[in-house]
Amino acid sequence: MNKAEDSEGSAGYYRRMQSAVEELLVLRGILTPEGIEEQVAAMDSRTYKSGAKVVARAWVDAAYKARLLDDPRTAVAELGFSVGPMHLIVIENTPTVHNVVVCTLCSCYPRMLLGVPPHWYKSREYRSRVVREPRAVLAEFGCELPTGIDIRVHDSTADMRYMVLPLRPAGTAGLGEAALAELVTRDCLVGVGLAACPTSSG
């Protein structure tokens, strides 16, 4: 699967929809063009680094991890992040279970913590194939898992979004939160990748 591929011109479709909604909001006096630009800039500034910080805290603090899995909204707020009105569910990878996230209907995604979804996440190919053949799709992302690991696919909705809590890489016992957060990638927060192993300093 080509991660960079924008299946069937979906980017053009979403741009047209965005323009139509913006025009309607301005015509009805709900928003101003300047207000829209400010909101778009704010959304574009969000990245997966927020989610990475949440994961790093969970890796070093067992009590925080328990709170994150039980009540994600409150737990992420402890670190200064808001998920808005959406219902966030954090799903934990284990040595025997690997989780992967999709939105089969469109592109629902925890933008508050992960930023703008990548093009491949919105593509029809990913949305259909990862449900039918998740192991094959993950392998195409370079995430090849042993056959004994159970792969579970979670379907996001407009009201419910998922974020994966990846396994902490081996050899990271001596790292602090900031260094651990650097090992967390966007792909592993969606489940199509694994947290990076630390590189040797030589």
Side-chain angles (χ1 to χ4, degrees):
M1 179 172 171
N2 185 348
K3 294 167 61 174
E5 184 175 300
D6 195 1
S7 179
E8 298 185 11
S10 60
Y13 167 79
Y14 286 110
R15 280 195 294 269
R16 291 193 298 274
M17 288 294 293
Q18 175 184 328
S19 296
V21 171
E22 288 178 2
E23 184 177 352
L24 183 60
L25 290 171
V26 172
L27 286 174
R28 295 198 172 183
I30 298 172
L31 291 175
T32 64
E34 295 76 18
I36 292 174
E37 288 181 7
E38 289 176 4
Q39 289 298 317
V40 170
M43 285 190 291
D44 287 344
S45 69
R46 299 182 185 124
T47 74
Y48 73 91
K49 294 292 187 180
S50 298
K53 291 178 181 178
V54 171
V55 168
R57 175 63 60 86
W59 281 347
V60 301
D61 185 336
Y64 179 80
K65 174 182 171 181
R67 295 195 299 275
L68 179 66
L69 296 173
D70 181 62
D71 184 1
R73 175 187 298 276
T74 301
V76 301
E78 291 179 31
L79 301 187
F81 304 123
S82 170
V83 296
M86 73 177 177
H87 178 48
L88 177 67
I89 298 176
V90 176
I91 41 180
E92 180 185 12
N93 284 350
T94 73
T96 59
V97 175
H98 183 89
N99 298 282
V100 61
V101 180
V102 66
C103 177
T104 55
L105 291 180
C106 51
S107 59
C108 296
Y109 191 78
R111 293 172 182 247
M112 297 292 191
L113 291 174
L114 304 190
V116 178
H119 289 310
W120 56 261
Y121 185 84
K122 298 181 285 187
S123 72
R124 182 174 298 178
E125 181 185 7
Y126 175 77
R127 290 186 287 122
S128 60
R129 287 188 59 216
V130 76
V131 175
R132 300 194 318 268
E133 46 182 359
R135 192 174 297 274
V137 170
L138 293 184
E140 292 171 19
F141 278 87
C143 182
E144 298 192 24
L145 301 172
T147 55
I149 292 182
D150 181 26
I151 301 176
R152 298 178 184 174
V153 180
H154 303 266
D155 193 359
S156 295
T157 68
D159 300 317
M160 182 174 63
R161 315 291 169 89
Y162 293 93
M163 185 182 84
V164 174
L165 174 58
L167 279 172
R168 180 172 175 169
T172 60
L175 298 182
E177 279 188 53
L180 287 169
E182 291 300 315
L183 304 180
V184 180
T185 66
R186 179 196 61 197
D187 285 2
C188 75
L189 294 170
V190 181
V192 298
L194 302 174
C197 288
T199 56
S200 173
S201 60

